Amino acid sequence: MTIIFNARLTISLQYVKIITVNIKNRILSRLGQQEYITIEEIAKATGLTRQGIHKHIKRLIAEGVIKKIGTTRGVKYALKDKKTDNLTIELSRDCLLHNLKEDRVFNKINVQYDLKHLLRKNIFDILSYAFTEILNNAIDHSKSKRSKVKLKVDNYNINFVINDQGIGIFENIKKKFGLEDEYEALQELIKGKTTTAKKYHSGEGLFFTSKASNKLLIKSHNIEVTFDNIKNDLFTQKIKYKRGTSVNFTISKNSKKRLKTIFDEYSNEKYDYKFSKTAVTINLFTKEKDSYLSRSEAKRLLFNLKKFKEIRLNFKGVRGIGQGFADEIFRVFKNNYPSIEIETINTNKAIDAMIKHIG
Protein backbone atom coordinates (compact mmCIF):
# COMPACT_ATOMS: atom_id res chain seq x y z
CA MET A 1 0.00 0.00 0.00
CA THR A 2 2.81 2.39 0.77
CA ILE A 3 4.44 1.78 -2.60
CA ILE A 4 1.19 2.43 -4.44
CA PHE A 5 0.63 5.64 -2.42
CA ASN A 6 4.11 6.94 -3.28
CA ALA A 7 3.56 6.15 -6.93
CA ARG A 8 0.31 8.07 -6.91
CA LEU A 9 1.97 10.97 -5.11
CA THR A 10 4.78 11.03 -7.68
CA ILE A 11 2.32 11.03 -10.56
CA SER A 12 0.32 13.84 -8.86
CA LEU A 13 3.41 16.03 -8.36
CA GLN A 14 4.47 15.53 -11.94
CA TYR A 15 0.98 16.54 -13.06
CA VAL A 16 1.11 19.74 -10.95
CA LYS A 17 4.52 20.56 -12.39
CA ILE A 18 3.24 20.12 -15.94
CA ILE A 19 0.22 22.36 -15.22
CA THR A 20 2.50 25.01 -13.64
CA VAL A 21 4.85 25.04 -16.62
CA ASN A 22 1.89 25.13 -19.00
CA ILE A 23 0.29 28.13 -17.25
CA LYS A 24 3.65 29.91 -17.07
CA ASN A 25 4.20 29.39 -20.80
CA ARG A 26 0.69 30.60 -21.65
CA ILE A 27 1.18 33.79 -19.63
CA LEU A 28 4.57 34.46 -21.22
CA SER A 29 3.20 33.62 -24.66
CA ARG A 30 0.44 36.21 -24.28
CA LEU A 31 2.96 38.80 -23.05
CA GLY A 32 5.03 38.09 -26.12
CA GLN A 33 2.06 39.22 -28.21
CA GLN A 34 0.84 42.17 -26.15
CA GLU A 35 2.41 44.76 -23.85
CA TYR A 36 0.38 44.07 -20.70
CA ILE A 37 -1.89 41.38 -19.31
CA THR A 38 -4.45 41.43 -16.49
CA ILE A 39 -5.63 38.77 -14.03
CA GLU A 40 -8.98 38.69 -15.86
CA GLU A 41 -7.27 37.96 -19.17
CA ILE A 42 -5.20 35.16 -17.61
CA ALA A 43 -8.35 33.69 -16.03
CA LYS A 44 -10.15 33.69 -19.36
CA ALA A 45 -7.18 32.05 -21.10
CA THR A 46 -6.53 29.38 -18.45
CA GLY A 47 -9.79 28.83 -16.61
CA LEU A 48 -8.04 29.25 -13.25
CA THR A 49 -9.43 31.15 -10.27
CA ARG A 50 -7.89 34.49 -9.24
CA GLN A 51 -6.34 32.79 -6.20
CA GLY A 52 -4.72 30.14 -8.39
CA ILE A 53 -3.45 32.74 -10.85
CA HIS A 54 -1.85 34.80 -8.09
CA LYS A 55 0.35 31.85 -7.11
CA HIS A 56 1.76 31.65 -10.64
CA ILE A 57 2.12 35.43 -10.89
CA LYS A 58 4.04 35.63 -7.59
CA ARG A 59 6.38 32.89 -8.79
CA LEU A 60 7.09 34.68 -12.09
CA ILE A 61 7.71 37.98 -10.26
CA ALA A 62 10.07 36.26 -7.80
CA GLU A 63 11.96 34.72 -10.73
CA GLY A 64 12.39 38.20 -12.22
CA VAL A 65 10.50 37.30 -15.40
CA ILE A 66 7.57 39.71 -15.15
CA LYS A 67 6.79 42.92 -13.28
CA LYS A 68 3.71 44.32 -11.57
CA ILE A 69 2.42 47.68 -12.79
CA GLY A 70 -0.14 49.78 -10.92
CA THR A 71 -2.15 49.10 -7.77
CA THR A 72 -5.53 47.66 -6.75
CA ARG A 73 -7.99 47.41 -9.66
CA GLY A 74 -5.58 48.89 -12.16
CA VAL A 75 -2.93 46.19 -11.73
CA LYS A 76 -1.34 44.88 -14.93
CA TYR A 77 1.63 42.63 -15.58
CA ALA A 78 4.35 42.96 -18.19
CA LEU A 79 7.56 41.26 -19.19
CA LYS A 80 10.48 42.60 -17.20
CA ASP A 81 12.90 44.54 -19.37
CA LYS A 82 16.30 44.38 -17.69
CA LYS A 83 17.47 47.48 -19.54
CA THR A 84 14.97 49.60 -17.63
CA ASP A 85 13.86 47.46 -14.72
CA ASN A 86 17.26 47.41 -13.06
CA LEU A 87 16.21 51.01 -12.38
CA THR A 88 19.34 52.55 -13.83
CA ILE A 89 18.58 55.03 -16.59
CA GLU A 90 21.04 57.58 -17.91
CA LEU A 91 20.45 59.88 -20.85
CA SER A 92 21.91 63.10 -22.21
CA ARG A 93 20.30 65.21 -24.92
CA ASP A 94 21.10 68.49 -26.63
CA CYS A 95 18.00 70.55 -27.34
CA LEU A 96 17.53 73.50 -29.67
CA LEU A 97 15.42 75.90 -27.62
CA HIS A 98 13.78 77.79 -30.50
CA ASN A 99 10.10 76.75 -30.63
CA LEU A 100 10.86 73.85 -28.29
CA LYS A 101 7.92 72.47 -26.26
CA GLU A 102 9.07 71.27 -22.87
CA ASP A 103 6.18 68.85 -22.43
CA ARG A 104 7.04 67.08 -25.68
CA VAL A 105 10.63 66.59 -24.55
CA PHE A 106 9.46 65.00 -21.31
CA ASN A 107 6.79 62.89 -23.01
CA LYS A 108 9.35 61.42 -25.41
CA ILE A 109 11.56 60.43 -22.49
CA ASN A 110 8.57 59.01 -20.64
CA VAL A 111 7.52 56.88 -23.61
CA GLN A 112 11.07 55.66 -24.25
CA TYR A 113 11.68 54.53 -20.66
CA ASP A 114 8.10 53.97 -19.47
CA LEU A 115 8.72 56.25 -16.49
CA LYS A 116 5.03 56.49 -15.65
CA HIS A 117 5.00 52.79 -14.81
CA LEU A 118 8.51 52.53 -13.38
CA LEU A 119 7.94 55.29 -10.81
CA ARG A 120 5.37 55.75 -8.10
CA LYS A 121 2.64 58.17 -9.12
CA ASN A 122 3.60 60.92 -6.67
CA ILE A 123 7.23 60.78 -7.86
CA PHE A 124 6.29 60.72 -11.53
CA ASP A 125 4.02 63.76 -11.03
CA ILE A 126 6.79 65.69 -9.29
CA LEU A 127 9.37 64.74 -11.92
CA SER A 128 7.04 65.74 -14.75
CA TYR A 129 6.26 69.09 -13.11
CA ALA A 130 9.82 69.97 -12.11
CA PHE A 131 11.41 68.90 -15.41
CA THR A 132 8.98 70.87 -17.58
CA GLU A 133 9.11 73.95 -15.33
CA ILE A 134 12.91 74.15 -15.40
CA LEU A 135 13.17 73.45 -19.13
CA ASN A 136 10.47 76.04 -19.78
CA ASN A 137 12.52 78.60 -17.82
CA ALA A 138 15.48 77.91 -20.10
CA ILE A 139 13.27 78.27 -23.18
CA ASP A 140 11.61 81.53 -22.09
CA HIS A 141 14.33 83.30 -20.11
CA SER A 142 17.85 82.11 -20.90
CA LYS A 143 18.27 83.64 -24.39
CA SER A 144 20.38 80.58 -25.13
CA LYS A 145 20.22 78.72 -28.43
CA ARG A 146 20.73 75.32 -26.86
CA SER A 147 20.24 73.46 -23.61
CA LYS A 148 21.75 70.17 -22.48
CA VAL A 149 19.39 67.86 -20.60
CA LYS A 150 20.61 64.99 -18.45
CA LEU A 151 18.45 62.50 -16.55
CA LYS A 152 19.55 59.71 -14.25
CA VAL A 153 17.38 57.20 -12.41
CA ASP A 154 18.98 54.62 -10.12
CA ASN A 155 17.78 52.41 -7.30
CA TYR A 156 17.57 55.32 -4.87
CA ASN A 157 17.28 58.71 -6.57
CA ILE A 158 16.04 60.57 -9.60
CA ASN A 159 18.22 63.40 -10.81
CA PHE A 160 18.07 65.74 -13.77
CA VAL A 161 20.31 68.61 -14.83
CA ILE A 162 19.28 71.29 -17.32
CA ASN A 163 22.15 73.45 -18.48
CA ASP A 164 22.10 76.43 -20.86
CA GLN A 165 24.68 78.90 -22.16
CA GLY A 166 22.50 82.00 -21.95
CA ILE A 167 22.36 85.25 -20.02
CA GLY A 168 22.35 83.60 -16.58
CA ILE A 169 19.46 83.60 -14.12
CA PHE A 170 20.93 86.12 -11.67
CA GLU A 171 22.08 88.50 -14.42
CA ASN A 172 18.62 88.32 -15.95
CA ILE A 173 16.89 89.17 -12.66
CA LYS A 174 19.42 91.96 -12.03
CA LYS A 175 18.69 93.61 -15.38
CA LYS A 176 14.93 93.23 -15.21
CA PHE A 177 14.64 94.76 -11.74
CA GLY A 178 17.48 97.29 -12.05
CA LEU A 179 19.44 95.79 -9.19
CA GLU A 180 23.00 96.67 -8.24
CA ASP A 181 24.56 93.23 -8.65
CA GLU A 182 23.80 89.54 -8.97
CA TYR A 183 23.87 89.05 -5.20
CA GLU A 184 20.85 91.32 -4.91
CA ALA A 185 19.28 89.21 -7.66
CA LEU A 186 20.03 86.14 -5.55
CA GLN A 187 18.08 87.68 -2.69
CA GLU A 188 15.16 88.30 -5.05
CA LEU A 189 15.22 84.69 -6.17
CA ILE A 190 15.32 83.39 -2.59
CA LYS A 191 12.23 85.41 -1.76
CA GLY A 192 10.27 82.95 -3.83
CA LYS A 193 7.93 84.57 -6.32
CA THR A 194 10.21 86.31 -8.76
CA THR A 195 9.67 86.40 -12.51
CA THR A 196 11.23 88.43 -15.30
CA ALA A 197 8.32 87.74 -17.66
CA LYS A 198 5.06 88.48 -15.82
CA LYS A 199 3.07 88.14 -19.03
CA TYR A 200 3.94 84.44 -19.22
CA HIS A 201 4.90 83.40 -15.69
CA SER A 202 3.76 83.92 -12.11
CA GLY A 203 7.28 83.17 -10.90
CA GLU A 204 6.02 80.34 -8.72
CA GLY A 205 7.30 77.40 -10.81
CA LEU A 206 10.85 77.54 -9.53
CA PHE A 207 9.61 78.04 -5.98
CA PHE A 208 7.36 74.98 -6.08
CA THR A 209 10.10 72.97 -7.79
CA SER A 210 12.51 73.83 -4.98
CA LYS A 211 9.94 72.70 -2.40
CA ALA A 212 9.21 69.44 -4.28
CA SER A 213 12.87 68.42 -4.44
CA ASN A 214 15.11 66.80 -1.88
CA LYS A 215 17.78 69.15 -3.19
CA LEU A 216 17.77 71.84 -5.88
CA LEU A 217 21.08 73.40 -6.87
CA ILE A 218 21.37 76.43 -9.16
CA LYS A 219 24.68 77.63 -10.60
CA SER A 220 25.14 80.76 -12.66
CA HIS A 221 28.19 82.99 -13.16
CA ASN A 222 29.86 83.27 -9.73
CA ILE A 223 26.92 82.18 -7.57
CA GLU A 224 25.70 78.80 -6.39
CA VAL A 225 22.53 78.42 -4.33
CA THR A 226 21.30 75.14 -2.86
CA PHE A 227 17.80 74.50 -1.54
CA ASP A 228 18.29 71.49 0.75
CA ASN A 229 14.99 70.11 2.01
CA ILE A 230 16.61 67.18 3.79
CA LYS A 231 18.54 69.52 6.07
CA ASN A 232 15.79 72.13 5.80
CA ASP A 233 18.36 74.76 4.93
CA LEU A 234 19.52 77.01 2.13
CA PHE A 235 23.17 77.58 1.15
CA THR A 236 24.84 80.12 -1.07
CA GLN A 237 28.47 80.39 -2.07
CA LYS A 238 30.78 82.04 -4.57
CA ILE A 239 32.04 79.69 -7.29
CA LYS A 240 34.32 79.71 -10.29
CA TYR A 241 32.62 81.47 -13.20
CA LYS A 242 29.88 79.37 -14.82
CA ARG A 243 28.48 80.56 -18.12
CA GLY A 244 24.69 80.48 -18.41
CA THR A 245 22.62 78.60 -15.85
CA SER A 246 22.70 75.05 -14.56
CA VAL A 247 19.78 73.67 -12.53
CA ASN A 248 20.30 70.34 -10.76
CA PHE A 249 17.19 68.64 -9.29
CA THR A 250 17.22 65.55 -7.06
CA ILE A 251 14.44 63.60 -5.36
CA SER A 252 14.44 60.25 -3.60
CA LYS A 253 12.46 57.49 -5.28
CA ASN A 254 10.92 56.76 -1.88
CA SER A 255 9.92 60.35 -1.16
CA LYS A 256 6.43 60.77 0.31
CA LYS A 257 6.03 64.26 -1.17
CA ARG A 258 2.98 65.04 -3.27
CA LEU A 259 2.47 68.05 -5.52
CA LYS A 260 -1.03 68.78 -4.22
CA THR A 261 0.24 68.84 -0.64
CA ILE A 262 3.00 71.28 -1.61
CA PHE A 263 0.57 73.49 -3.54
CA ASP A 264 -1.94 73.44 -0.68
CA GLU A 265 0.69 74.34 1.92
CA TYR A 266 1.65 77.54 0.11
CA SER A 267 -1.75 78.51 -1.26
CA ASN A 268 -5.00 79.94 -0.02
CA GLU A 269 -8.27 78.06 0.28
CA LYS A 270 -9.18 78.67 -3.37
CA TYR A 271 -5.94 77.04 -4.55
CA ASP A 272 -4.92 80.04 -6.62
CA TYR A 273 -1.29 79.61 -5.50
CA LYS A 274 -0.67 83.21 -4.48
CA PHE A 275 1.64 82.42 -1.59
CA SER A 276 -0.87 83.60 1.00
CA LYS A 277 0.75 81.40 3.65
CA THR A 278 4.37 81.77 2.70
CA ALA A 279 7.05 82.63 5.21
CA VAL A 280 10.25 83.70 3.48
CA THR A 281 13.78 83.62 4.88
CA ILE A 282 16.25 86.23 3.67
CA ASN A 283 19.92 85.47 4.25
CA LEU A 284 21.66 88.82 4.34
CA PHE A 285 25.28 87.73 4.45
CA THR A 286 27.20 87.18 1.22
CA LYS A 287 30.92 86.94 0.58
CA GLU A 288 30.66 90.37 -0.98
CA LYS A 289 28.82 92.05 1.86
CA ASP A 290 28.82 91.69 5.65
CA SER A 291 27.16 94.95 6.72
CA TYR A 292 24.11 96.95 5.65
CA LEU A 293 23.96 100.67 6.29
CA SER A 294 21.69 102.65 4.02
CA ARG A 295 17.96 103.09 3.61
CA SER A 296 18.28 102.30 -0.11
CA GLU A 297 19.78 98.90 0.72
CA ALA A 298 16.78 98.16 2.92
CA LYS A 299 14.35 99.20 0.18
CA ARG A 300 16.05 96.89 -2.29
CA LEU A 301 15.92 94.09 0.27
CA LEU A 302 12.21 94.64 0.94
CA PHE A 303 11.25 94.93 -2.71
CA ASN A 304 8.51 92.45 -3.62
CA LEU A 305 8.16 91.16 -0.02
CA LYS A 306 4.75 92.65 0.77
CA LYS A 307 3.03 89.54 -0.64
CA PHE A 308 4.37 87.42 2.24
CA LYS A 309 2.82 87.02 5.66
CA GLU A 310 6.07 86.36 7.47
CA ILE A 311 9.57 87.64 6.75
CA ARG A 312 12.49 85.99 8.51
CA LEU A 313 15.75 87.96 8.32
CA ASN A 314 18.82 85.81 8.90
CA PHE A 315 21.73 87.98 10.06
CA LYS A 316 24.23 85.13 10.37
CA GLY A 317 27.63 86.48 9.32
CA VAL A 318 26.46 90.13 9.27
CA ARG A 319 28.61 92.39 11.45
CA GLY A 320 26.37 95.42 11.69
CA ILE A 321 23.52 97.52 10.29
CA GLY A 322 23.00 101.27 9.97
CA GLN A 323 20.25 103.41 11.44
CA GLY A 324 18.74 104.15 8.02
CA PHE A 325 18.69 100.46 7.09
CA ALA A 326 17.03 99.46 10.37
CA ASP A 327 14.53 102.34 10.32
CA GLU A 328 13.31 101.47 6.81
CA ILE A 329 12.62 97.86 7.79
CA PHE A 330 11.50 97.97 11.40
CA ARG A 331 9.57 101.26 11.39
CA VAL A 332 8.61 102.41 7.87
CA PHE A 333 7.88 99.01 6.32
CA LYS A 334 6.33 97.68 9.52
CA ASN A 335 3.99 100.71 9.76
CA ASN A 336 2.99 100.34 6.09
CA TYR A 337 2.34 96.60 6.43
CA PRO A 338 1.39 95.96 10.07
CA SER A 339 -0.05 92.49 9.31
CA ILE A 340 3.33 91.20 8.13
CA GLU A 341 5.42 89.62 10.86
CA ILE A 342 9.16 90.33 10.78
CA GLU A 343 11.39 87.90 12.64
CA THR A 344 15.14 88.22 13.10
CA ILE A 345 17.51 85.32 13.71
CA ASN A 346 21.27 85.03 14.31
CA THR A 347 21.68 88.68 15.26
CA ASN A 348 24.60 89.96 17.34
CA LYS A 349 24.46 92.48 20.19
CA ALA A 350 25.22 95.45 17.93
CA ILE A 351 22.37 94.56 15.57
CA ASP A 352 19.98 93.92 18.44
CA ALA A 353 20.83 97.32 19.92
CA MET A 354 20.09 99.10 16.64
CA ILE A 355 16.77 97.30 16.16
CA LYS A 356 15.80 98.09 19.76
CA HIS A 357 16.78 101.73 19.20
CA ILE A 358 14.41 101.95 16.20
CA GLY A 359 11.60 100.23 18.10
Side-chain angles (χ1 to χ4, degrees):
M1 293 294 292
T2 305
I3 296 172
I4 293 173
F5 175 78
N6 286 339
R8 286 178 179 174
L9 179 61
T10 301
I11 292 170
S12 177
L13 290 174
Q14 288 176 342
Y15 178 75
V16 170
K17 186 175 182 180
I18 290 169
I19 292 295
T20 300
V21 172
N22 184 40
I23 300 245
K24 175 180 177 180
N25 289 339
R26 291 175 76 173
I27 293 172
L28 296 179
S29 177
R30 286 290 290 270
L31 285 174
Q33 300 170 30
Q34 61 194 65
E35 189 174 2
Y36 306 112
I37 195 169
T38 64
I39 292 291
E40 289 73 20
E41 289 174 318
I42 299 172
K44 189 179 292 186
T46 63
L48 289 177
T49 63
R50 292 180 67 91
Q51 185 176 2
I53 291 167
H54 277 297
K55 292 180 181 178
H56 297 287
I57 289 293
K58 285 182 179 179
R59 186 177 290 112
L60 288 170
I61 291 174
E63 292 173 358
V65 179
I66 66 173
K67 62 182 177 180
K68 180 180 177 181
I69 298 170
T71 57
T72 61
R73 294 182 181 179
V75 169
K76 298 180 288 187
Y77 300 92
L79 290 174
K80 195 165 185 181
D81 181 354
K82 292 183 179 179
K83 289 183 179 178
T84 57
D85 294 322
N86 62 6
L87 300 179
T88 298
I89 298 171
E90 287 192 65
L91 68 87
S92 179
R93 293 184 180 176
D94 286 313
C95 302
L96 287 172
L97 295 183
H98 182 64
N99 289 330
L100 185 68
K101 303 297 182 184
E102 66 278 358
D103 58 324
R104 293 183 182 178
V105 176
F106 183 79
N107 287 339
K108 285 182 180 179
I109 296 172
N110 175 35
V111 170
Q112 181 179 354
Y113 294 99
D114 199 17
L115 294 175
K116 192 169 186 177
H117 293 124
L118 288 175
L119 304 175
R120 288 161 46 193
K121 184 179 184 304
N122 66 311
I123 300 300
F124 177 81
D125 290 344
I126 287 174
L127 176 62
S128 174
Y129 176 84
F131 184 97
T132 53
E133 282 290 337
I134 299 304
L135 184 54
N136 178 259
N137 281 346
I139 294 168
D140 287 351
H141 300 301
S142 71
K143 300 180 182 178
S144 177
K145 291 182 178 180
R146 294 177 174 272
S147 180
K148 175 165 275 190
V149 173
K150 293 182 179 181
L151 174 68
K152 181 177 180 180
V153 181
D154 60 29
N155 289 325
Y156 307 102
N157 297 304
I158 301 161
N159 171 263
F160 71 78
V161 181
I162 295 178
N163 188 61
D164 68 64
Q165 300 295 309
I167 186 173
I169 184 172
F170 303 116
E171 179 65 18
N172 198 20
I173 294 172
K174 185 192 87 171
K175 287 186 174 181
K176 292 293 182 179
F177 291 106
L179 304 174
E180 185 175 322
D181 56 35
E182 292 194 4
Y183 287 95
E184 288 190 5
L186 169 64
Q187 290 182 339
E188 280 300 304
L189 180 70
I190 292 172
K191 290 174 186 177
K193 188 179 174 184
T194 298
T195 177
T196 58
K198 289 185 178 180
K199 183 178 179 182
Y200 305 104
H201 298 272
S202 65
E204 297 169 358
L206 186 59
F207 175 84
F208 284 129
T209 297
S210 72
K211 295 297 182 183
S213 69
N214 284 150
K215 184 179 290 187
L216 184 74
L217 188 148
I218 302 172
K219 292 181 181 180
S220 182
H221 295 184
N222 295 113
I223 297 176
E224 176 181 292
V225 56
T226 302
F227 300 86
D228 192 328
N229 292 312
I230 300 299
K231 297 180 178 178
N232 194 28
D233 210 342
L234 185 150
F235 306 93
T236 62
Q237 64 177 338
K238 188 173 182 178
I239 58 172
K240 184 179 179 181
Y241 185 84
K242 162 74 181 71
R243 183 182 174 187
T245 303
S246 174
V247 181
N248 189 319
F249 174 97
T250 302
I251 187 169
S252 165
K253 287 183 62 185
N254 296 318
S255 174
K256 305 297 184 184
K257 292 187 177 189
R258 297 180 183 275
L259 274 180
K260 185 179 184 302
T261 304
I262 295 167
F263 290 155
D264 290 352
E265 183 179 356
Y266 294 96
S267 309
N268 64 26
E269 294 178 354
K270 295 181 179 179
Y271 306 110
D272 61 0
Y273 311 145
K274 298 305 180 185
F275 287 70
S276 61
K277 296 179 182 178
T278 301
V280 62
T281 299
I282 306 298
N283 299 292
L284 281 80
F285 174 75
T286 70
K287 289 188 176 181
E288 305 298 318
K289 199 170 190 63
D290 64 1
S291 60
Y292 292 83
L293 303 176
S294 69
R295 193 175 297 275
S296 61
E297 288 177 316
K299 288 180 178 179
R300 287 196 295 269
L301 180 72
L302 294 167
F303 177 74
N304 214 22
L305 286 181
K306 57 182 179 289
K307 60 180 175 286
F308 297 101
K309 287 192 172 183
E310 294 179 37
I311 301 171
R312 187 178 303 109
L313 299 177
N314 183 6
F315 285 88
K316 184 177 181 180
V318 177
R319 290 190 301 152
I321 58 175
Q323 189 274 337
F325 179 85
D327 185 69
E328 187 65 31
I329 294 175
F330 298 102
R331 186 183 65 82
V332 177
F333 183 86
K334 187 61 181 174
N335 287 341
N336 289 336
Y337 304 99
S339 64
I340 298 177
E341 294 184 18
I342 301 177
E343 177 189 358
T344 61
I345 58 175
N346 296 316
T347 56
N348 58 34
K349 291 183 179 180
I351 294 171
D352 286 336
M354 181 60 74
I355 294 173
K356 187 176 180 180
H357 168 73
I358 296 301

